[in-house]
Amino acid sequence: MEVVSYSQTKATREKNIDSVGIMIGWTLRIGIAMSSIMVIFGLILFYAEGQSGYEANRYPTHIKDIIQGCFALKSYGVILTGLLLLMLTPVFRVGISIIAFLIEKDYLYAVITLIVFFILIISFYISRMA
């Protein structure tokens, strides 16, 4: 039977925390990079075409319309999709944190992070209604 000392357990836990921090950092970097690329691509489309791809004073306001505009390569739809990705990046970060805390069996922080996640989702829903 192997005896595990407190220092070994602490070292393993710190290694897991470091790997979670790296994973969260990469999630933020990838989210920001993807949104930046989308916005820049949308700006290039806008300057190349000289128009937004929509009729005057009619722009998409629902997520479904924004995504459809992106797939149709309408410059304004592509830009809005990039901005939507930028807004969703912190939500993904919180989601990954929940999973990480559950893996570490740190249930207190998992519950706190889950509450933050629900607050983010509710704030998106409320802002959509306004």
Side-chain angles (χ1 to χ4, degrees):
M1 180 183 279
E2 183 180 327
V3 177
V4 178
S5 69
Y6 174 75
S7 62
Q8 289 174 334
T9 306
K10 186 178 178 183
T12 304
R13 185 173 175 91
E14 287 177 2
K15 184 178 178 184
N16 288 341
I17 290 172
D18 288 342
S19 65
V20 169
I22 290 170
M23 184 172 46
I24 289 171
W26 275 107
T27 302
L28 293 174
R29 285 184 193 102
I30 290 170
I32 291 171
M34 286 175 46
S35 65
S36 299
I37 289 168
M38 293 289 291
V39 169
I40 291 169
F41 180 66
L43 287 172
I44 291 170
L45 280 175
F46 180 75
Y47 287 120
E49 295 175 354
Q51 60 181 350
S52 68
Y54 294 96
E55 297 175 20
N57 297 326
R58 293 201 60 190
Y59 299 103
T61 55
H62 294 83
I63 293 175
K64 182 183 102 176
D65 298 332
I66 292 170
I67 302 298
Q68 286 176 347
C70 180
F71 283 123
L73 292 179
K74 295 181 178 181
S75 60
Y76 197 72
V78 174
I79 292 170
L80 287 178
T81 302
L83 294 176
L84 185 63
L85 283 173
L86 185 63
M87 290 188 329
L88 290 177
T89 298
V91 177
F92 289 137
R93 183 235 188 264
V94 172
I96 288 174
S97 297
I98 293 169
I99 294 168
F101 288 135
L102 288 174
I103 289 171
E104 291 178 9
K105 297 182 176 147
D106 195 346
Y107 299 116
L108 175 64
Y109 282 109
V111 168
I112 292 169
T113 309
L114 194 61
I115 291 169
V116 170
F117 185 76
F118 283 130
I119 290 171
L120 283 170
I121 299 302
I122 290 169
S123 70
F124 280 132
Y125 183 73
I126 289 173
S127 68
R128 187 177 143 223
M129 291 174 32

